[in-house]
Amino acid sequence: MSAHLLTLTHINKSFAEHHQQHPLLKDLSISVNQGEVIALIGASGSGKSTLLNIIAGIELPDTGRVTVEQTVLNQLSEADRTRFRRQQVGFIFQFFNLLPTLSVRENILLPLQLNQLTTDQAFFELLVNSTQIEQLLDRYPDDLSGGEQQRVALCRALIHQPRLVLADEPTGSLDNETADQVFTLLLNIAHQEQQTLIIATHNLQLASQTDRVCRLASGKITEQTLS
Ligand SMILES: Nc1ncnc2c1ncn2[C@@H]1O[C@H](COP(=O)(O)OP(=O)(O)OP(=O)(O)O)[C@@H](O)[C@H]1O
Ligand SMILES: [Mg+2]
């Protein structure tokens, strides 16, 4: 049996603009091992967020297959894709996507509630303490800075200990020191939980700490060595 957790096969995705199709991802294929930590780099507009959305089943490719273990994600119904995402995936969105009517604590605990899981209090405290948001738990997202919201989004993505974590520029709103801490936390938890982690980032210094760096350009992925 293959050790691949995730396989993308011949993925194509284009967007329509002014009655023209613009190809964004072109016959893109990649396999990712269980427990592997990957940095996804590439210019703004190269398609990093789109690719993460396709891996999570939020968006569908035009053609090609997304396979997570034995499941071909893009052949599932929308309801099954949603269930899969809720249970197996932790997604840190580039623009956070916190729910404004829920407190910070409620936002973080939401994945547990949706999966009818009980809270592991020690793990909850580990997350909020190491992201330094323990003082913010009763506040609401609109009252937080961008960097604070980003750290809440990170806790929410990890709380249910998913096997696949997709992080879309998870340190983009943080100062250098906090970015280093949050990145280290993501890597440590991934190792501890044997998670497969894909991090889109523009920060090459952080990217160089991962197992494998993949550059997205002209719709394709190439492996890159950062010195
Ligand atoms: N739903 C959509 N409809 C039309 N165009 C889209 C759609 N989603 C993405 N695009 C276009 O696809 C391109 C890639 O967008 P994407 O957000 O994936 O890039 P990115 O690599 O994440 O960029 P950044 O580093 O700025 O976050 C952009 O030109 C964007 O405008
Ligand atoms: Mg993006």
Side-chain angles (χ1 to χ4, degrees), residues 60-77:
L60 289 173
D62 300 334
T63 58
R65 291 202 308 173
V66 181
T67 311
V68 179
E69 293 192 306
Q70 313 303 324
T71 308
V72 182
L73 203 54
N74 53 303
Q75 288 173 359
L76 297 180
S77 68

Side-chain angles (χ1 to χ4, degrees), residues 195-210:
Q195 282 164 337
T196 303
L197 168 62
I198 305 180
I199 310 170
T201 183
H202 289 286
N203 185 326
L204 299 186
Q205 190 266 324
L206 295 180
S208 69
Q209 298 174 36
T210 63

Side-chain angles (χ1 to χ4, degrees), residues 73-92:
L73 203 54
N74 53 303
Q75 288 173 359
L76 297 180
S77 68
E78 192 171 342
D80 285 344
R81 278 205 315 277
T82 301
R83 189 172 312 116
F84 165 85
R85 187 163 58 246
R86 182 183 292 166
Q87 292 171 349
Q88 311 282 353
V89 179
F91 203 117
I92 306 168

Side-chain angles (χ1 to χ4, degrees), residues 171-186:
T171 61
S173 300
L174 306 178
D175 63 80
N176 287 342
E177 193 185 335
T178 314
D180 278 344
Q181 287 168 5
V182 161
F183 203 85
T184 302
L185 175 70
L186 265 175

Side-chain angles (χ1 to χ4, degrees), residues 45 47-50 94-95 168-169 200 202:
K48 300 181 297 299
S49 294
T50 304
Q94 184 167 5
F95 303 108
D168 198 352
E169 302 195 26
H202 289 286

Side-chain angles (χ1 to χ4, degrees), residues 12-24:
N12 284 283
K13 180 76 176 174
S14 57
F15 290 109
E17 198 181 38
H18 306 307
H19 308 290
Q20 263 197 316
Q21 287 294 116
H22 293 273
L24 181 59

Side-chain angles (χ1 to χ4, degrees), residues 206-221:
L206 295 180
S208 69
Q209 298 174 36
T210 63
D211 300 329
R212 187 172 160 200
V213 179
C214 296
R215 176 179 291 277
L216 187 53
S218 305
K220 302 237 188 231
I221 280 189

Side-chain angles (χ1 to χ4, degrees), residues 88-153:
Q88 311 282 353
V89 179
F91 203 117
I92 306 168
F93 291 93
Q94 184 167 5
F95 303 108
F96 322 133
N97 289 8
L98 298 174
L99 296 182
T101 55
L102 299 184
S103 71
V104 165
R105 184 194 310 276
E106 289 163 343
N107 265 285
I108 295 171
L109 296 178
L110 187 62
L112 295 177
Q113 205 183 346
L114 292 172
N115 287 307
Q116 297 174 318
L117 297 170
T118 52
T119 307
D120 177 339
Q121 193 60 31
F123 188 61
F124 175 81
E125 280 168 24
L126 170 85
L127 289 177
V128 301
N129 291 340
S130 29
T131 52
Q132 295 166 32
I133 56 162
E134 64 272 58
Q135 307 299 326
L136 306 176
L137 295 175
D138 295 319
R139 305 255 294 264
Y140 284 80
D142 288 348
D143 302 332
L144 304 181
S145 75
E148 289 168 342
Q149 289 185 51
Q150 186 147 47
R151 285 176 279 152
V152 175

